[in-house]
């Protein structure tokens, strides 16, 4: 058998539930190798025409978060799973309308307003101290709901087969006779909701029999199957009065602790055997029998689902990806006056089609990030169902924050677990098919040291300290794309897997003039071609310099001729004008808007990585840039012919 041949994922919270599930297998299969990050323990086998994977939560660990992590790992390892079953024990909520007894089975069934499972402890406190539940959970897939309806209809005409499945299990495993059989009517006691169990007593032997509710006797002791809403939360319900309040508010039939962690990320049906009444009188006497009745129902359900119908059902991973609302995390608005750069966009398109990744390289201020922003909006328009992730990479802290935002926004399984390394969680998700279609932009990935230096991982899922490089997506294809902006060609080619970077040059005269005219306010008057070309030459056709010059003119109500005359008057005026940080809402906060400070960042980068090149540039700055004698610098160029900057 291979991983891809398994289509049903069966999840349990307790060893007694896993034991009952294993006892229902018609056939056992050998274990299969697991991925390094998958810490689940699996039992493999067949029920009817379906190959089934059984996974149990770690010993002593329960709750919605733990269930979410187990489901994410099983879905990652067994990529052909179509749906899941959450099978185990729960606390019953009996009422006049629903005569629920110990050993009965409750099946999650959607209503007009709920998917079948309600996370009763998730919400907010509103005016007056009232607790208001927020959000909703997904319903089970149609293939399961159809089978539930078919089985429900069949049971109106004939007895359920789960009793036969229980007998078969006990015949195969006689040791279970002591614990997995019906416990007796005298052991099924329901007390008034407000009557508390005597503290410290392990049984109800000393409980007041006058506070016990009298119920009619059933014809037999076979489990009865109930269909309705199940309440799920992170704490055990053991209070009769709270149980009753929730019953009246939510109309639930059962309480449990794991299902809410699955319904939005793992398409499944919840099946619970009733082992207590969710009050202070709960004990473990009925747990194994209740686990067995729930498992027996799950087996009966699988028996009536045709294998071909399961094969035609979308995978659990595909359904999970489809259910997520696309995330768009670009922190800048679209520039409606963006100056078209046809050649660069053509190169981006070509490289993404061939290699699924591309790096934009150039000095500070030439517009690398602006190109990436524009491409992100065009990508969103052409693929509105896709994610667009903006990851600022100039520091490890900002990188981690971006990954944290991705995990939290998309509610990736385990994102709210303090023991989870969020970067590791997002990295794994990005490399899985279930992540769907996305574009990631790594902005300002300039410093190789930031990317390559090991950083301390948070949480216990990751193994050892890893660098940011290790968290970057590696499984790229036509649906998962990567764009990098960087000042360093070395870093850019590294991130593009040695593919040549796209060099982003300064603007052409035409592009520079368009930008200048679009940024300078019209009330400052028009300007002649000669003045604009002269200014563009002085600014080196650098987009950031042009934008900053326009901002200065707008702020000081200074027409172009007067601005040009001011900066031509002396060099210090020029330096002063372009050293002012004028607010630009389309640049990352904390990054200088001053063109001189931007160029200094580029120079500092060169000086840190290649001191010889920095010394050469310092020498050249003392000379006329148009008449530097080659012999003066040729020995430096020959000495370091492999320089990434020369």
């Amino acid at each position: 058998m291979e991983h891809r041949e398994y289509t049903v994922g069966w999840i349990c919270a307790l060893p007694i539930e896993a034991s009952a599930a294993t006892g229902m297998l018609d056939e056992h299969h050998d274990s299969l190798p697991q991925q390094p990050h998958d810490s689940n323990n699996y039992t493999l086998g067949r029920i009817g025409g379906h190959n089934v994977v059984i996974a149990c939560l770690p010993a002593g660990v329960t709750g919605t978060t733990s269930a979410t992590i187990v489901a994410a790992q099983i879905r990652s390892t067994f990529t052909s799973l179509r749906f899941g079953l959450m099978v185990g024990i729960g606390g019953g909520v009996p009422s006049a309308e629903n005569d629920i007894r110990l050993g009965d089975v409750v099946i999650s069934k959607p209503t007009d307003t709920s998917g079948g499972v309600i996370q009763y402890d998730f919400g907010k406190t509103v005016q007056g101290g009232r607790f208001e539940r927020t959000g909703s959970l997904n319903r089970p897939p149609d293939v399961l709901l159809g089978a539930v309806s078919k089985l429900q209809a069949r049971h109106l005409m004939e007895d359920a087969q789960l009793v036969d499945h229980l007998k078969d299990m006990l015949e195969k495993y006689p040791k279970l006779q002591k614990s997995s059989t019906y416990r007796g009517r005298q052991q099924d006691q329901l007390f008034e909701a407000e009557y508390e169990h005597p503290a410290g007593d392990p049984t109800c032997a000393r409980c007041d029999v006058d506070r016990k509710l009298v119920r009619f006797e059933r014809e037999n002791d076979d489990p009865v199957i109930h269909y309705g809403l199940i309440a799920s939360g992170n704490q055990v319900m053991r209070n009769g009065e709270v149980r009753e309040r929730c019953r009246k508010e939510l109309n639930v039939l059962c309480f449990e602790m794991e299902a809410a962690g699955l319904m939005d990320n793992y398409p499944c049906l919840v099946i619970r055997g009733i082992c207590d009444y969710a009050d202070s009188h709960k004990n473990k006497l009925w747990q194994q029998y209740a686990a067995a009745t729930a498992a027996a129902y799950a087996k009966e359900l699988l028996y009536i689902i045709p294998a071909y119908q399961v094969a035609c059902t979308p995978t659990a991973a595909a359904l999970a990806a489809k259910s997520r609302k696309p995330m768009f995390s670009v922190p800048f608005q679209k520039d409606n006056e963006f100056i078209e750069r046809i050649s660069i966009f053509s190169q981006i398109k070509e490289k993404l089609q061939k290699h699924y990744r591309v790096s934009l390289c150039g000095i500070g201020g030439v517009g690398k990030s602006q190109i990436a922003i524009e491409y992100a909006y065009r990508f969103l328009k052409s693929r509105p169902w896709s994610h667009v992730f903006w990851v600022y990479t100039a520091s490890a802290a900002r990188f981690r924050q971006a990954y944290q935002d991705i995990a939290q926004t998309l509610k990736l399984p385990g994102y709210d677990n303090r023991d989870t390394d969020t970067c590791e969680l997002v990295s794994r998700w990005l490399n899985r098919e279930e992540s769907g279609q996305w574009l990631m932009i790594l902005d300002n990935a300039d410093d190789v040291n930031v990317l390559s230096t090991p950083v301390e991982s948070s949480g216990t899922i990751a193994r050892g300290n890893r660098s940011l490089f290790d968290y970057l997506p590696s499984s790229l294809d036509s649906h998962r794309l990567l764009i990098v902006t960087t000042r360093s060609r070395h870093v850019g080619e590294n991130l593009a897997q040695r593919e040549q970077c796209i060099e982003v040059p300064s603007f052409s005269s035409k592009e520079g003039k368009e930008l200048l005219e679009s940024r300078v306010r019209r009330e400052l008057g028009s300007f002649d071609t000669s003045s604009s070309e002269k200014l563009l030459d002085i600014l080196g056709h650098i987009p950031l310099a042009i934008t900053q010059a326009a901002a200065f003119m707008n702020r000081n109500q200074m027409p172009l001729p007067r601005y040009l005359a001011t900066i031509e008057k002396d060099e210090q005026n020029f330096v002063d004008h372009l050293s002012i940080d004028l607010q630009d809402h389309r640049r990352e906060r904390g990054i200088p808007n001053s063109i001189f400070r931007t160029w200094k960042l580029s120079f500092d980068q060169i000086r840190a990585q290649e001191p010889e090149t920095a010394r050469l540039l310092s020498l050249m700055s003392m000379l006329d840039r148009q008449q530097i004698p080659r012999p003066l610098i040729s020995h430096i160029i020959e000495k370091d012919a492999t320089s990434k900057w020369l």
Side-chain angles (χ1 to χ4, degrees), residues 82-83 140-148 305-306 309-310 313:
R82 272 18 184 219
F83 57 77
D142 290 341
V143 64
L144 285 174
L145 293 178
V148 167
I305 301 177
Q309 193 175 23
V310 174
T313 302

Side-chain angles (χ1 to χ4, degrees), residues 319-334:
L319 288 174
K322 187 177 180 180
S323 67
R324 288 193 178 97
K325 182 180 179 181
M327 176 179 178
F328 185 80
S329 63
V330 177
F332 310 104
Q333 293 184 343
K334 179 177 171 56

Side-chain angles (χ1 to χ4, degrees), residues 241-286:
E241 291 183 283
V242 177
R243 178 200 70 199
E244 285 301 292
R245 186 163 64 246
C246 288
R247 178 186 65 80
K248 293 174 182 177
E249 289 180 8
L250 305 174
N251 195 29
V252 295
L253 304 185
C254 171
F255 283 92
E256 59 90 77
M257 293 180 59
E258 288 79 32
L262 302 180
M263 302 305 293
D264 279 346
N265 299 291
Y266 187 70
C268 69
L269 183 74
V270 183
I271 303 169
R272 292 297 182 185
I274 302 304
C275 65
D276 58 58
Y277 292 117
D279 57 14
S280 60
H281 302 276
K282 64 167 64 237
N283 60 63
K284 297 183 178 181
L285 180 64
W286 288 83

Side-chain angles (χ1 to χ4, degrees), residues 184-226:
R185 295 186 181 187
Q186 68 280 9
Q187 301 294 338
D188 185 354
Q189 304 178 84
L190 175 62
F191 291 91
E192 296 171 356
E194 55 276 2
Y195 176 57
E196 288 288 324
H197 182 78
D201 283 6
T203 69
C204 288
R206 294 198 307 120
C207 288
D208 187 351
V209 294
D210 292 334
R211 307 296 296 272
K212 188 166 62 172
L213 298 179
V214 179
R215 296 177 289 180
F216 70 87
E217 288 195 1
R218 289 180 174 176
E219 294 181 1
N220 57 55
D221 298 323
D222 292 346
V224 173
I225 302 165
H226 307 268

Side-chain angles (χ1 to χ4, degrees), residues 523-536:
E523 59 265 27
L524 294 180
S526 59
F527 37 81
D528 59 85
T529 301
S530 174
S531 296
S532 61
E533 287 182 351
K534 193 169 186 179
L535 177 61
L536 292 174

Side-chain angles (χ1 to χ4, degrees), residues 21 63 82-83 87 94 129 137 172 203 265 315 320 332 359 364 424 433 458 484-485 536 564 575 604 635:
R82 272 18 184 219
F83 57 77
V87 187
L137 299 172
K172 285 192 295 183
T203 69
N265 299 291
T315 64
F332 310 104
S359 291
E424 178 80 359
E433 182 183 347
S458 59
V484 179
T485 73
L536 292 174
L564 188 60
V575 172
D604 289 344
H635 71 287

